[in-house]
């Protein structure tokens, strides 16, 4: 297949390009970092790039927490307007296969179970609780301590910040495109992706990158909250392989199918910081108690559907991946 990879010069996109090429496909890179004229919001440029293309891997996006609203217009422009322009051009060009870089942030908080009330959905955490170090959400009915679990793709969406809202809007736009055109759409809801070429020292880098940069400066990684917040750290090469698997397998026509894309091995942020520090040779992380209001406490998802339906499974283990990342 000839595959247009938007954001193909970026962190994840560049690995997708390599994975596609290794499987015998012809990736076409479309990225403003490679060519300033390749803005996904430019309908004429996108239309030219789609000539002769069989499928699109849409990785281009403004990433990050999006914990305020000052940059909301820029997030919406790059992520949602850009996606709308791309989908309209795909419809016009007759390109009917799409893999979208989705995100687990669309879920908001993860899955929680109360010993008395079963599965519940806690609301946003209160500033008053966070200020006093009460980071765990309680049962919205009785206030009891909750047990975190794995989120399935059928869980209701509950985006908690601007970035999350734009990622959910991308899925809605892609679903509308699939219904109208009969296209095959897949959204891979990435977890915390890390690995080679991860951006350094920018407001949009992930927490793993911040920790690695601190270690490179000889500083201790600063871990927010109490370090016990659970995440799923998935290696970028495994994410790239999931993109190729989704493209090759196809999807039902006229719909968008979502797949959680994670390692399946939840770890705390504190564990990740310790693994990076050990691989780097120190210094050890410092738990600060600080917080970001837009963060959720626990979000780990079940990736069984992706494994079962597309035959994908992660190849890079947590310790191995962190050792490699620490050296990068």
């Amino acid at each position: 297949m000839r595959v247009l990879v938007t954001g193909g010069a970026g962190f994840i996109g560049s690995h997708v390009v390599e994975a596609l090429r290794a499987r015998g496909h012809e990736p076409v890179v479309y990225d403003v970092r490679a060519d300033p004229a390749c803005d996904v919001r430019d309908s004429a440029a996108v239309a030219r790039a789609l000539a002769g293309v069989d499928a699109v891997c849409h990785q281009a996006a403004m990433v990050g927490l999006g914990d305020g609203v000052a940059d909301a217009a820029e997030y919406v422009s790059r992520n949602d307007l850009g996606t709308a322009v791309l989908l309209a051009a795909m419809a016009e060009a007759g390109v009917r296969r799409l893999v979208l870089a989705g995100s687990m942030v669309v879920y908001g908080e993860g899955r929680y179970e109360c010993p008395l009330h079963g599965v519940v959905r806690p609301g946003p955490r209160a500033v008053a609780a966070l200020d006093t170090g009460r980071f765990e959400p309680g049962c919205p009915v009785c206030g009891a301590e909750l047990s975190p679990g794995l989120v399935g793709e059928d869980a209701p969406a509950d985006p908690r910040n601007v970035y999350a809202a734009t990622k959910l809007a991308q899925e809605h736009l892609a679903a509308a495109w699939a219904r109208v055109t009969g296209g095959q759409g897949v959204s891979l809801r990435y977890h915390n992706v890390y690995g080679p070429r991860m951006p350094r020292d920018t407001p949009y880098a992930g927490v793993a990158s911040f920790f690695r940069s601190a270690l490179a400066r000889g500083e201790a990684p600063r871990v927010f909250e109490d370090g016990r917040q659970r995440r799923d750290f998935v290696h970028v090469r495994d994410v790239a392989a999931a993109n190729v698997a989704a493209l090759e397998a196809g999807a039902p026509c006229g719909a968008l199918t979502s797949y959680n894309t994670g390692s399946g091995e939840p770890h705390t942020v504190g564990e990740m910081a310790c693994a990076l520090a050990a691989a780097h040779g120190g210094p050890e992380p410092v738990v600060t108690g600080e917080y970001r209001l837009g963060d959720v406490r626990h979000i780990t998802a079940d990736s069984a559907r992706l494994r079962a339906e597309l035959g994908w499974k992660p190849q890079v283990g947590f310790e191995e991946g962190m050792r490699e990342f620490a050296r990068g």
Side-chain angles (χ1 to χ4, degrees), residues 1-3 16-27 54-57 96-99 184-186 188 239-252 259 306 309-312:
M1 282 185 288
R2 193 165 192 258
V3 183
V16 172
V17 166
E18 290 179 355
L20 285 166
R21 192 172 287 128
R23 289 284 296 175
H25 300 293
E26 181 188 353
D54 303 300
V56 173
C57 224
R96 297 292 183 262
R97 185 169 291 189
L98 170 72
V99 175
Q184 301 176 45
V186 170
L188 297 176
V239 167
N243 276 269
V244 177
L247 281 169
E248 293 181 341
Y259 292 104
L306 179 60
E309 295 186 7
L310 300 188
W312 171 89

Side-chain angles (χ1 to χ4, degrees), residues 4 10 20 44 87 110 188 195 198 235 242 254-255 315:
L4 183 69
L20 285 166
L87 294 171
L188 297 176
M198 192 174 192
H235 197 277
Q315 301 295 320

Side-chain angles (χ1 to χ4, degrees), residues 40-56:
V40 76
R41 296 167 293 184
D42 185 332
S43 57
V46 171
R48 289 192 298 270
L50 285 169
V53 162
D54 303 300
V56 173

Side-chain angles (χ1 to χ4, degrees), residues 85-313:
V85 169
L86 173 66
L87 294 171
M90 288 175 64
E92 180 68 22
V95 179
R96 297 292 183 262
R97 185 169 291 189
L98 170 72
V99 175
L100 171 69
S103 176
M104 53 79 186
V105 295
V106 301
Y107 296 118
E109 284 286 354
R111 184 182 188 276
Y112 292 88
E113 190 165 349
C114 171
L116 294 177
H117 299 100
V119 176
V120 294
R121 293 188 61 79
R125 294 183 294 173
V127 171
L130 295 169
D131 282 343
T132 57
R134 289 183 287 124
F135 302 119
E136 295 286 348
C139 174
V141 180
C142 67
E145 183 177 343
L146 301 174
S147 299
L150 300 179
V151 179
E153 288 90 349
D154 57 351
D158 186 16
R160 299 289 177 89
N161 55 59
V162 168
Y163 171 63
T166 65
K167 296 306 289 183
L168 182 58
Q170 282 185 309
E171 290 196 353
H172 289 322
L173 289 165
W177 162 84
R179 284 193 296 270
V180 169
T181 65
Q184 301 176 45
V186 170
S187 176
L188 297 176
R189 291 175 174 171
Y190 300 160
H191 278 256
N192 291 71
V193 186
Y194 73 97
R197 302 174 212 147
M198 192 174 192
R200 291 176 180 262
D201 303 323
T202 79
Y204 309 107
V207 65
S209 183
F210 286 131
F211 290 168
R212 182 181 63 177
S213 294
L215 289 164
R217 296 191 300 268
E219 301 171 2
R222 295 175 60 82
V223 181
F224 280 14
E225 302 188 16
D226 57 5
R228 297 177 184 173
Q229 52 272 47
R230 288 158 51 99
R231 299 291 188 270
D232 185 325
F233 300 97
V234 58
H235 197 277
V236 66
R237 287 196 297 271
D238 287 329
V239 167
N243 276 269
V244 177
L247 281 169
E248 293 181 341
C253 294
L256 180 75
T257 306
S258 297
Y259 292 104
N260 292 327
T261 308
S263 71
E265 298 180 3
H267 291 274
T268 68
V269 172
E271 287 172 344
M272 186 268 287
C274 288
L276 272 180
H280 190 272
E284 294 185 0
V286 173
V287 177
T288 69
E290 298 172 85
Y291 66 86
R292 298 185 301 190
L293 192 59
D295 282 351
V296 297
R297 179 60 174 173
H298 304 294
I299 177 63
T300 55
D302 186 352
S303 299
R305 180 186 292 178
L306 179 60
R307 297 172 186 239
E309 295 186 7
L310 300 188
W312 171 89
K313 63 178 181 179

